[in-house]
Each structure stands twice: as structure tokens, then as C-alpha cells.
PDB file of all heavy atoms in Angstrom:
ATOM      1  N   PHE W 886       0.877  -1.152   0.018  1.00  0.00           N
ATOM      2  CA  PHE W 886      -0.037  -0.009  -0.014  1.00  0.00           C
ATOM      3  C   PHE W 886       0.933   1.346   0.056  1.00  0.00           C
ATOM      4  O   PHE W 886       0.529   2.248  -0.591  1.00  0.00           O
ATOM      5  CB  PHE W 886      -0.881  -0.038   1.189  1.00  0.00           C
ATOM      6  CG  PHE W 886      -2.081  -0.937   1.066  1.00  0.00           C
ATOM      7  CD1 PHE W 886      -2.373  -1.850   2.038  1.00  0.00           C
ATOM      8  CD2 PHE W 886      -3.117  -0.870  -0.015  1.00  0.00           C
ATOM      9  CE1 PHE W 886      -3.457  -2.735   1.926  1.00  0.00           C
ATOM     10  CE2 PHE W 886      -4.056  -1.660  -0.143  1.00  0.00           C
ATOM     11  CZ  PHE W 886      -4.335  -2.560   0.763  1.00  0.00           C
ATOM     12  N   ALA W 887       1.969   1.236   0.636  1.00  0.00           N
ATOM     13  CA  ALA W 887       2.969   2.308   0.558  1.00  0.00           C
ATOM     14  C   ALA W 887       3.303   2.644  -0.790  1.00  0.00           C
ATOM     15  O   ALA W 887       3.540   3.955  -1.122  1.00  0.00           O
ATOM     16  CB  ALA W 887       4.137   2.149   1.470  1.00  0.00           C
ATOM     17  N   ALA W 888       3.515   1.714  -1.669  1.00  0.00           N
ATOM     18  CA  ALA W 888       3.933   2.003  -2.996  1.00  0.00           C
ATOM     19  C   ALA W 888       2.748   2.544  -3.824  1.00  0.00           C
ATOM     20  O   ALA W 888       2.865   3.301  -4.722  1.00  0.00           O
ATOM     21  CB  ALA W 888       4.510   0.683  -3.706  1.00  0.00           C
ATOM     22  N   VAL W 889       1.572   2.143  -3.524  1.00  0.00           N
ATOM     23  CA  VAL W 889       0.303   2.548  -4.281  1.00  0.00           C
ATOM     24  C   VAL W 889      -0.144   3.888  -3.846  1.00  0.00           C
ATOM     25  O   VAL W 889      -0.538   4.752  -4.666  1.00  0.00           O
ATOM     26  CB  VAL W 889      -0.852   1.536  -4.093  1.00  0.00           C
ATOM     27  CG1 VAL W 889      -2.181   2.135  -4.701  1.00  0.00           C
ATOM     28  CG2 VAL W 889      -0.426   0.072  -4.685  1.00  0.00           C
ATOM     29  N   MET W 890      -0.065   4.254  -2.514  1.00  0.00           N
ATOM     30  CA  MET W 890      -0.456   5.499  -2.067  1.00  0.00           C
ATOM     31  C   MET W 890       0.714   6.301  -1.419  1.00  0.00           C
ATOM     32  O   MET W 890       1.258   5.767  -0.405  1.00  0.00           O
ATOM     33  CB  MET W 890      -1.549   5.305  -0.985  1.00  0.00           C
ATOM     34  CG  MET W 890      -2.806   4.702  -1.508  1.00  0.00           C
ATOM     35  SD  MET W 890      -4.069   4.359  -0.152  1.00  0.00           S
ATOM     36  CE  MET W 890      -3.244   2.848   0.639  1.00  0.00           C
ATOM     37  N   ASP W 891       0.967   7.291  -1.885  1.00  0.00           N
ATOM     38  CA  ASP W 891       2.248   8.116  -1.559  1.00  0.00           C
ATOM     39  C   ASP W 891       1.900   8.856  -0.371  1.00  0.00           C
ATOM     40  O   ASP W 891       1.097   9.890  -0.322  1.00  0.00           O
ATOM     41  CB  ASP W 891       2.712   9.058  -2.602  1.00  0.00           C
ATOM     42  CG  ASP W 891       4.035   9.824  -2.184  1.00  0.00           C
ATOM     43  OD1 ASP W 891       4.401   9.583  -1.054  1.00  0.00           O
ATOM     44  OD2 ASP W 891       4.579  10.480  -3.126  1.00  0.00           O
ATOM     45  N   ALA W 892       2.348   8.449   0.905  1.00  0.00           N
ATOM     46  CA  ALA W 892       1.970   9.164   2.204  1.00  0.00           C
ATOM     47  C   ALA W 892       2.577  10.541   2.229  1.00  0.00           C
ATOM     48  O   ALA W 892       1.972  11.362   3.104  1.00  0.00           O
ATOM     49  CB  ALA W 892       2.458   8.337   3.360  1.00  0.00           C
ATOM     50  N   THR W 893       3.587  10.803   1.446  1.00  0.00           N
ATOM     51  CA  THR W 893       4.146  12.134   1.509  1.00  0.00           C
ATOM     52  C   THR W 893       3.237  13.269   1.039  1.00  0.00           C
ATOM     53  O   THR W 893       3.374  14.476   1.226  1.00  0.00           O
ATOM     54  CB  THR W 893       5.411  12.234   0.815  1.00  0.00           C
ATOM     55  OG1 THR W 893       5.294  12.138  -0.614  1.00  0.00           O
ATOM     56  CG2 THR W 893       6.403  11.217   1.317  1.00  0.00           C
ATOM     57  N   LEU W 894       2.212  12.826   0.291  1.00  0.00           N
ATOM     58  CA  LEU W 894       1.225  13.688  -0.368  1.00  0.00           C
ATOM     59  C   LEU W 894       0.124  14.059   0.729  1.00  0.00           C
ATOM     60  O   LEU W 894      -0.603  15.027   0.425  1.00  0.00           O
ATOM     61  CB  LEU W 894       0.489  13.024  -1.499  1.00  0.00           C
ATOM     62  CG  LEU W 894       1.305  12.753  -2.728  1.00  0.00           C
ATOM     63  CD1 LEU W 894       0.546  12.045  -3.754  1.00  0.00           C
ATOM     64  CD2 LEU W 894       2.077  13.994  -3.263  1.00  0.00           C
ATOM     65  N   GLY W 895       0.085  13.348   1.877  1.00  0.00           N
ATOM     66  CA  GLY W 895      -0.851  13.643   2.812  1.00  0.00           C
ATOM     67  C   GLY W 895      -1.878  12.521   3.073  1.00  0.00           C
ATOM     68  O   GLY W 895      -1.561  11.361   2.713  1.00  0.00           O
ATOM     69  N   GLU W 896      -3.065  12.849   3.599  1.00  0.00           N
ATOM     70  CA  GLU W 896      -4.001  11.750   3.973  1.00  0.00           C
ATOM     71  C   GLU W 896      -4.671  11.197   2.691  1.00  0.00           C
ATOM     72  O   GLU W 896      -4.944  11.934   1.798  1.00  0.00           O
ATOM     73  CB  GLU W 896      -5.007  12.376   5.016  1.00  0.00           C
ATOM     74  CG  GLU W 896      -4.367  12.673   6.281  1.00  0.00           C
ATOM     75  CD  GLU W 896      -5.397  13.249   7.297  1.00  0.00           C
ATOM     76  OE1 GLU W 896      -6.599  13.443   6.931  1.00  0.00           O
ATOM     77  OE2 GLU W 896      -5.042  13.473   8.455  1.00  0.00           O
ATOM     78  N   TRP W 897      -5.154   9.911   2.853  1.00  0.00           N
ATOM     79  CA  TRP W 897      -5.919   9.360   1.744  1.00  0.00           C
ATOM     80  C   TRP W 897      -7.246   8.860   2.332  1.00  0.00           C
ATOM     81  O   TRP W 897      -7.351   8.564   3.642  1.00  0.00           O
ATOM     82  CB  TRP W 897      -5.079   8.207   1.210  1.00  0.00           C
ATOM     83  CG  TRP W 897      -4.017   8.436   0.341  1.00  0.00           C
ATOM     84  CD1 TRP W 897      -2.830   9.067   0.728  1.00  0.00           C
ATOM     85  CD2 TRP W 897      -3.910   8.319  -1.070  1.00  0.00           C
ATOM     86  NE1 TRP W 897      -1.954   9.248  -0.395  1.00  0.00           N
ATOM     87  CE2 TRP W 897      -2.586   8.707  -1.436  1.00  0.00           C
ATOM     88  CE3 TRP W 897      -4.761   7.658  -2.033  1.00  0.00           C
ATOM     89  CZ2 TRP W 897      -2.219   8.673  -2.764  1.00  0.00           C
ATOM     90  CZ3 TRP W 897      -4.304   7.458  -3.352  1.00  0.00           C
ATOM     91  CH2 TRP W 897      -3.098   8.035  -3.680  1.00  0.00           C
ATOM     92  N   SER W 898      -8.138   8.607   1.435  1.00  0.00           N
ATOM     93  CA  SER W 898      -9.421   7.916   1.757  1.00  0.00           C
ATOM     94  C   SER W 898      -9.564   6.767   0.817  1.00  0.00           C
ATOM     95  O   SER W 898      -8.956   6.703  -0.256  1.00  0.00           O
ATOM     96  CB  SER W 898     -10.631   8.791   1.525  1.00  0.00           C
ATOM     97  OG  SER W 898     -10.624   9.972   2.397  1.00  0.00           O
ATOM     98  N   VAL W 899     -10.281   5.753   1.340  1.00  0.00           N
ATOM     99  CA  VAL W 899     -10.527   4.482   0.539  1.00  0.00           C
ATOM    100  C   VAL W 899     -12.123   4.501   0.410  1.00  0.00           C
ATOM    101  O   VAL W 899     -12.813   4.675   1.412  1.00  0.00           O
ATOM    102  CB  VAL W 899     -10.213   3.219   1.186  1.00  0.00           C
ATOM    103  CG1 VAL W 899     -10.796   1.994   0.491  1.00  0.00           C
ATOM    104  CG2 VAL W 899      -8.646   3.147   1.201  1.00  0.00           C
ATOM    105  N   VAL W 900     -12.536   4.425  -0.860  1.00  0.00           N
ATOM    106  CA  VAL W 900     -13.927   4.286  -1.139  1.00  0.00           C
ATOM    107  C   VAL W 900     -14.204   3.237  -2.181  1.00  0.00           C
ATOM    108  O   VAL W 900     -13.629   3.331  -3.241  1.00  0.00           O
ATOM    109  CB  VAL W 900     -14.479   5.706  -1.775  1.00  0.00           C
ATOM    110  CG1 VAL W 900     -16.068   5.592  -1.935  1.00  0.00           C
ATOM    111  CG2 VAL W 900     -14.267   6.871  -0.831  1.00  0.00           C
ATOM    112  N   SER W 901     -14.757   2.196  -1.732  1.00  0.00           N
ATOM    113  CA  SER W 901     -14.882   0.964  -2.442  1.00  0.00           C
ATOM    114  C   SER W 901     -16.088   0.163  -2.329  1.00  0.00           C
ATOM    115  O   SER W 901     -16.567   0.016  -1.289  1.00  0.00           O
ATOM    116  CB  SER W 901     -13.625   0.070  -2.173  1.00  0.00           C
ATOM    117  OG  SER W 901     -12.363   0.779  -2.367  1.00  0.00           O
ATOM    118  N   ASN W 902     -16.508  -0.511  -3.331  1.00  0.00           N
ATOM    119  CA  ASN W 902     -17.465  -1.608  -3.302  1.00  0.00           C
ATOM    120  C   ASN W 902     -16.611  -2.855  -3.371  1.00  0.00           C
ATOM    121  O   ASN W 902     -16.137  -3.340  -4.371  1.00  0.00           O
ATOM    122  CB  ASN W 902     -18.284  -1.709  -4.597  1.00  0.00           C
ATOM    123  CG  ASN W 902     -19.338  -2.798  -4.736  1.00  0.00           C
ATOM    124  OD1 ASN W 902     -19.547  -3.526  -3.726  1.00  0.00           O
ATOM    125  ND2 ASN W 902     -19.744  -3.067  -5.929  1.00  0.00           N
ATOM    126  N   LEU W 903     -16.379  -3.375  -2.093  1.00  0.00           N
ATOM    127  CA  LEU W 903     -15.475  -4.583  -1.988  1.00  0.00           C
ATOM    128  C   LEU W 903     -15.970  -5.771  -2.197  1.00  0.00           C
ATOM    129  O   LEU W 903     -17.233  -6.081  -2.037  1.00  0.00           O
ATOM    130  CB  LEU W 903     -14.896  -4.587  -0.505  1.00  0.00           C
ATOM    131  CG  LEU W 903     -13.996  -3.369  -0.091  1.00  0.00           C
ATOM    132  CD1 LEU W 903     -13.740  -3.476   1.431  1.00  0.00           C
ATOM    133  CD2 LEU W 903     -12.895  -3.210  -0.933  1.00  0.00           C
ATOM    134  N   PRO W 904     -15.243  -6.771  -2.971  1.00  0.00           N
ATOM    135  CA  PRO W 904     -15.646  -8.133  -3.065  1.00  0.00           C
ATOM    136  C   PRO W 904     -16.110  -8.686  -1.785  1.00  0.00           C
ATOM    137  O   PRO W 904     -15.285  -8.615  -0.851  1.00  0.00           O
ATOM    138  CB  PRO W 904     -14.531  -8.764  -3.713  1.00  0.00           C
ATOM    139  CG  PRO W 904     -13.745  -7.674  -4.372  1.00  0.00           C
ATOM    140  CD  PRO W 904     -13.919  -6.435  -3.444  1.00  0.00           C
ATOM    141  N   TYR W 905     -17.245  -9.333  -1.676  1.00  0.00           N
ATOM    142  CA  TYR W 905     -17.714  -9.840  -0.396  1.00  0.00           C
ATOM    143  C   TYR W 905     -16.825 -10.826   0.187  1.00  0.00           C
ATOM    144  O   TYR W 905     -16.650 -10.887   1.411  1.00  0.00           O
ATOM    145  CB  TYR W 905     -19.083 -10.424  -0.549  1.00  0.00           C
ATOM    146  CG  TYR W 905     -20.255  -9.482  -0.854  1.00  0.00           C
ATOM    147  CD1 TYR W 905     -21.322  -9.944  -1.491  1.00  0.00           C
ATOM    148  CD2 TYR W 905     -20.173  -8.213  -0.457  1.00  0.00           C
ATOM    149  CE1 TYR W 905     -22.457  -9.080  -1.686  1.00  0.00           C
ATOM    150  CE2 TYR W 905     -21.193  -7.325  -0.750  1.00  0.00           C
ATOM    151  CZ  TYR W 905     -22.361  -7.749  -1.438  1.00  0.00           C
ATOM    152  OH  TYR W 905     -23.416  -6.858  -1.623  1.00  0.00           O
ATOM    153  N   ASN W 906     -16.199 -11.619  -0.566  1.00  0.00           N
ATOM    154  CA  ASN W 906     -15.431 -12.789  -0.021  1.00  0.00           C
ATOM    155  C   ASN W 906     -14.046 -12.401   0.557  1.00  0.00           C
ATOM    156  O   ASN W 906     -13.468 -13.201   1.319  1.00  0.00           O
ATOM    157  CB  ASN W 906     -15.248 -13.873  -0.998  1.00  0.00           C
ATOM    158  CG  ASN W 906     -14.571 -13.376  -2.371  1.00  0.00           C
ATOM    159  OD1 ASN W 906     -14.605 -12.257  -2.484  1.00  0.00           O
ATOM    160  ND2 ASN W 906     -14.026 -14.278  -3.122  1.00  0.00           N
ATOM    161  N   VAL W 907     -13.771 -11.128   0.297  1.00  0.00           N
ATOM    162  CA  VAL W 907     -12.352 -10.649   0.915  1.00  0.00           C
ATOM    163  C   VAL W 907     -12.488  -9.316   1.567  1.00  0.00           C
ATOM    164  O   VAL W 907     -11.380  -8.679   1.801  1.00  0.00           O
ATOM    165  CB  VAL W 907     -11.199 -10.585  -0.240  1.00  0.00           C
ATOM    166  CG1 VAL W 907     -10.893 -11.941  -0.763  1.00  0.00           C
ATOM    167  CG2 VAL W 907     -11.640  -9.811  -1.498  1.00  0.00           C
ATOM    168  N   ALA W 908     -13.665  -8.891   1.756  1.00  0.00           N
ATOM    169  CA  ALA W 908     -13.750  -7.503   2.382  1.00  0.00           C
ATOM    170  C   ALA W 908     -13.150  -7.281   3.599  1.00  0.00           C
ATOM    171  O   ALA W 908     -12.365  -6.367   3.850  1.00  0.00           O
ATOM    172  CB  ALA W 908     -15.220  -7.093   2.417  1.00  0.00           C
ATOM    173  N   THR W 909     -13.341  -8.356   4.632  1.00  0.00           N
ATOM    174  CA  THR W 909     -12.758  -8.160   5.966  1.00  0.00           C
ATOM    175  C   THR W 909     -11.293  -8.141   5.908  1.00  0.00           C
ATOM    176  O   THR W 909     -10.716  -7.273   6.514  1.00  0.00           O
ATOM    177  CB  THR W 909     -13.383  -9.271   6.795  1.00  0.00           C
ATOM    178  OG1 THR W 909     -14.704  -9.007   7.024  1.00  0.00           O
ATOM    179  CG2 THR W 909     -12.728  -9.149   8.317  1.00  0.00           C
ATOM    180  N   PRO W 910     -10.550  -9.109   5.286  1.00  0.00           N
ATOM    181  CA  PRO W 910      -9.078  -9.062   5.337  1.00  0.00           C
ATOM    182  C   PRO W 910      -8.529  -7.724   4.529  1.00  0.00           C
ATOM    183  O   PRO W 910      -7.403  -7.315   5.003  1.00  0.00           O
ATOM    184  CB  PRO W 910      -8.701 -10.304   4.536  1.00  0.00           C
ATOM    185  CG  PRO W 910      -9.960 -10.813   3.903  1.00  0.00           C
ATOM    186  CD  PRO W 910     -11.049 -10.443   4.657  1.00  0.00           C
ATOM    187  N   ILE W 911      -9.224  -7.274   3.601  1.00  0.00           N
ATOM    188  CA  ILE W 911      -8.792  -5.988   2.921  1.00  0.00           C
ATOM    189  C   ILE W 911      -8.771  -4.878   3.975  1.00  0.00           C
ATOM    190  O   ILE W 911      -7.919  -4.150   4.073  1.00  0.00           O
ATOM    191  CB  ILE W 911      -9.538  -5.725   1.737  1.00  0.00           C
ATOM    192  CG1 ILE W 911      -9.195  -6.674   0.574  1.00  0.00           C
ATOM    193  CG2 ILE W 911      -9.300  -4.329   1.323  1.00  0.00           C
ATOM    194  CD1 ILE W 911      -9.996  -6.479  -0.714  1.00  0.00           C
ATOM    195  N   VAL W 912     -10.007  -4.752   4.713  1.00  0.00           N
ATOM    196  CA  VAL W 912     -10.051  -3.686   5.722  1.00  0.00           C
ATOM    197  C   VAL W 912      -9.004  -3.847   6.791  1.00  0.00           C
ATOM    198  O   VAL W 912      -8.399  -2.762   7.168  1.00  0.00           O
ATOM    199  CB  VAL W 912     -11.520  -3.602   6.213  1.00  0.00           C
ATOM    200  CG1 VAL W 912     -11.527  -2.682   7.467  1.00  0.00           C
ATOM    201  CG2 VAL W 912     -12.465  -3.200   5.187  1.00  0.00           C
ATOM    202  N   MET W 913      -8.832  -5.085   7.134  1.00  0.00           N
ATOM    203  CA  MET W 913      -7.841  -5.232   8.267  1.00  0.00           C
ATOM    204  C   MET W 913      -6.421  -4.956   7.776  1.00  0.00           C
ATOM    205  O   MET W 913      -5.639  -4.359   8.545  1.00  0.00           O
ATOM    206  CB  MET W 913      -7.908  -6.801   8.667  1.00  0.00           C
ATOM    207  CG  MET W 913      -9.026  -7.253   9.382  1.00  0.00           C
ATOM    208  SD  MET W 913      -9.467  -6.416  10.909  1.00  0.00           S
ATOM    209  CE  MET W 913     -10.751  -5.377  10.258  1.00  0.00           C
ATOM    210  N   ARG W 914      -6.098  -5.246   6.578  1.00  0.00           N
ATOM    211  CA  ARG W 914      -4.811  -4.868   6.012  1.00  0.00           C
ATOM    212  C   ARG W 914      -4.646  -3.349   5.874  1.00  0.00           C
ATOM    213  O   ARG W 914      -3.498  -2.865   6.331  1.00  0.00           O
ATOM    214  CB  ARG W 914      -4.539  -5.471   4.511  1.00  0.00           C
ATOM    215  CG  ARG W 914      -4.136  -6.828   4.474  1.00  0.00           C
ATOM    216  CD  ARG W 914      -3.339  -7.145   3.090  1.00  0.00           C
ATOM    217  NE  ARG W 914      -2.088  -6.448   3.159  1.00  0.00           N
ATOM    218  CZ  ARG W 914      -1.469  -5.917   2.175  1.00  0.00           C
ATOM    219  NH1 ARG W 914      -2.015  -5.990   0.930  1.00  0.00           N
ATOM    220  NH2 ARG W 914      -0.264  -5.395   2.330  1.00  0.00           N
ATOM    221  N   LEU W 915      -5.620  -2.716   5.528  1.00  0.00           N
ATOM    222  CA  LEU W 915      -5.527  -1.165   5.480  1.00  0.00           C
ATOM    223  C   LEU W 915      -5.387  -0.604   6.747  1.00  0.00           C
ATOM    224  O   LEU W 915      -4.585   0.330   7.066  1.00  0.00           O
ATOM    225  CB  LEU W 915      -6.788  -0.646   4.879  1.00  0.00           C
ATOM    226  CG  LEU W 915      -6.977  -0.807   3.358  1.00  0.00           C
ATOM    227  CD1 LEU W 915      -8.438  -0.628   2.891  1.00  0.00           C
ATOM    228  CD2 LEU W 915      -6.035   0.095   2.548  1.00  0.00           C
ATOM    229  N   LEU W 916      -5.896  -1.073   7.809  1.00  0.00           N
ATOM    230  CA  LEU W 916      -5.849  -0.601   9.174  1.00  0.00           C
ATOM    231  C   LEU W 916      -4.370  -0.874   9.703  1.00  0.00           C
ATOM    232  O   LEU W 916      -3.886  -0.080  10.455  1.00  0.00           O
ATOM    233  CB  LEU W 916      -6.911  -1.274  10.096  1.00  0.00           C
ATOM    234  CG  LEU W 916      -8.327  -0.857   9.874  1.00  0.00           C
ATOM    235  CD1 LEU W 916      -9.291  -1.602  10.815  1.00  0.00           C
ATOM    236  CD2 LEU W 916      -8.513   0.764  10.153  1.00  0.00           C
ATOM    237  N   ASP W 917      -3.928  -2.236   9.395  1.00  0.00           N
ATOM    238  CA  ASP W 917      -2.551  -2.504   9.921  1.00  0.00           C
ATOM    239  C   ASP W 917      -1.490  -1.762   9.132  1.00  0.00           C
ATOM    240  O   ASP W 917      -0.531  -1.366   9.735  1.00  0.00           O
ATOM    241  CB  ASP W 917      -2.311  -3.984   9.712  1.00  0.00           C
ATOM    242  CG  ASP W 917      -3.080  -4.843  10.779  1.00  0.00           C
ATOM    243  OD1 ASP W 917      -3.251  -4.314  11.872  1.00  0.00           O
ATOM    244  OD2 ASP W 917      -3.473  -5.946  10.555  1.00  0.00           O
ATOM    245  N   ASP W 918      -1.582  -1.625   7.798  1.00  0.00           N
ATOM    246  CA  ASP W 918      -0.444  -1.371   6.977  1.00  0.00           C
ATOM    247  C   ASP W 918      -0.449  -0.060   6.286  1.00  0.00           C
ATOM    248  O   ASP W 918       0.480   0.371   5.589  1.00  0.00           O
ATOM    249  CB  ASP W 918      -0.258  -2.518   5.819  1.00  0.00           C
ATOM    250  CG  ASP W 918      -0.056  -3.795   6.469  1.00  0.00           C
ATOM    251  OD1 ASP W 918       0.362  -3.868   7.644  1.00  0.00           O
ATOM    252  OD2 ASP W 918      -0.364  -4.770   5.726  1.00  0.00           O
ATOM    253  N   ALA W 919      -1.586   0.652   6.474  1.00  0.00           N
ATOM    254  CA  ALA W 919      -1.750   1.979   5.709  1.00  0.00           C
ATOM    255  C   ALA W 919      -2.197   3.099   6.568  1.00  0.00           C
ATOM    256  O   ALA W 919      -3.377   3.528   6.584  1.00  0.00           O
ATOM    257  CB  ALA W 919      -2.724   1.906   4.523  1.00  0.00           C
ATOM    258  N   PRO W 920      -1.453   3.480   7.625  1.00  0.00           N
ATOM    259  CA  PRO W 920      -1.777   4.562   8.548  1.00  0.00           C
ATOM    260  C   PRO W 920      -2.248   5.892   7.870  1.00  0.00           C
ATOM    261  O   PRO W 920      -2.879   6.670   8.510  1.00  0.00           O
ATOM    262  CB  PRO W 920      -0.582   4.641   9.426  1.00  0.00           C
ATOM    263  CG  PRO W 920       0.526   4.196   8.656  1.00  0.00           C
ATOM    264  CD  PRO W 920      -0.073   3.040   7.814  1.00  0.00           C
ATOM    265  N   HIS W 921      -1.730   6.102   6.674  1.00  0.00           N
ATOM    266  CA  HIS W 921      -2.066   7.451   5.961  1.00  0.00           C
ATOM    267  C   HIS W 921      -3.484   7.288   5.437  1.00  0.00           C
ATOM    268  O   HIS W 921      -3.930   8.303   4.896  1.00  0.00           O
ATOM    269  CB  HIS W 921      -1.086   7.628   4.933  1.00  0.00           C
ATOM    270  CG  HIS W 921      -0.799   6.446   3.954  1.00  0.00           C
ATOM    271  ND1 HIS W 921      -0.171   5.332   4.372  1.00  0.00           N
ATOM    272  CD2 HIS W 921      -1.198   6.175   2.637  1.00  0.00           C
ATOM    273  CE1 HIS W 921       0.002   4.523   3.461  1.00  0.00           C
ATOM    274  NE2 HIS W 921      -0.695   4.899   2.318  1.00  0.00           N
ATOM    275  N   VAL W 922      -4.167   6.161   5.455  1.00  0.00           N
ATOM    276  CA  VAL W 922      -5.618   6.134   5.106  1.00  0.00           C
ATOM    277  C   VAL W 922      -6.382   6.506   6.399  1.00  0.00           C
ATOM    278  O   VAL W 922      -6.515   5.815   7.313  1.00  0.00           O
ATOM    279  CB  VAL W 922      -5.987   4.613   4.661  1.00  0.00           C
ATOM    280  CG1 VAL W 922      -7.512   4.625   4.492  1.00  0.00           C
ATOM    281  CG2 VAL W 922      -5.338   4.395   3.385  1.00  0.00           C
ATOM    282  N   ARG W 923      -6.863   7.762   6.317  1.00  0.00           N
ATOM    283  CA  ARG W 923      -7.678   8.285   7.630  1.00  0.00           C
ATOM    284  C   ARG W 923      -9.061   7.971   7.524  1.00  0.00           C
ATOM    285  O   ARG W 923      -9.814   7.950   8.669  1.00  0.00           O
ATOM    286  CB  ARG W 923      -7.518   9.774   7.573  1.00  0.00           C
ATOM    287  CG  ARG W 923      -6.033  10.223   7.468  1.00  0.00           C
ATOM    288  CD  ARG W 923      -5.104   9.582   8.496  1.00  0.00           C
ATOM    289  NE  ARG W 923      -5.604   9.813   9.868  1.00  0.00           N
ATOM    290  CZ  ARG W 923      -5.030   9.271  10.924  1.00  0.00           C
ATOM    291  NH1 ARG W 923      -4.003   8.480  10.785  1.00  0.00           N
ATOM    292  NH2 ARG W 923      -5.397   9.545  12.145  1.00  0.00           N
ATOM    293  N   SER W 924      -9.632   7.587   6.457  1.00  0.00           N
ATOM    294  CA  SER W 924     -11.170   7.203   6.370  1.00  0.00           C
ATOM    295  C   SER W 924     -11.353   6.330   5.313  1.00  0.00           C
ATOM    296  O   SER W 924     -10.655   6.250   4.204  1.00  0.00           O
ATOM    297  CB  SER W 924     -11.996   8.433   6.199  1.00  0.00           C
ATOM    298  OG  SER W 924     -11.881   9.007   4.919  1.00  0.00           O
TER     299      SER W 924
END
């Protein structure tokens, strides 16, 4: 996620229609690994 979203640019948001079968692990990964995602 650090390569996809440049944290030096500031805060990011995620807005997505997530695939049902992987929605929870994706949200967990974002919380763990992408602190620049504020919402």
C-alpha cells in the first residue's frame, strides 16, 4: 500500500465496493499497513 499511495502527499481515503469474500481481510490490511488512510 505504501507503493500505491504516496503518504508524503498527505492523507488518503478509501472508497470501494469490496468483493464480499475478501472485504474483511482487505479492511484489516488497510488498518494495519496503511496509517495514511484516515477514512
Side-chain angles (χ1 to χ4, degrees):
F886 284 126
V889 173
M890 296 176 284
D891 186 351
T893 65
L894 297 176
E896 296 181 354
W897 284 70
S898 298
V899 169
V900 183
S901 300
N902 172 20
L903 294 177
Y905 289 155
N906 57 338
V907 291
T909 297
I911 287 175
V912 169
M913 295 299 101
R914 279 208 71 212
L915 286 163
L916 291 172
D917 282 332
D918 301 337
H921 47 291
V922 172
R923 305 309 302 177
S924 68

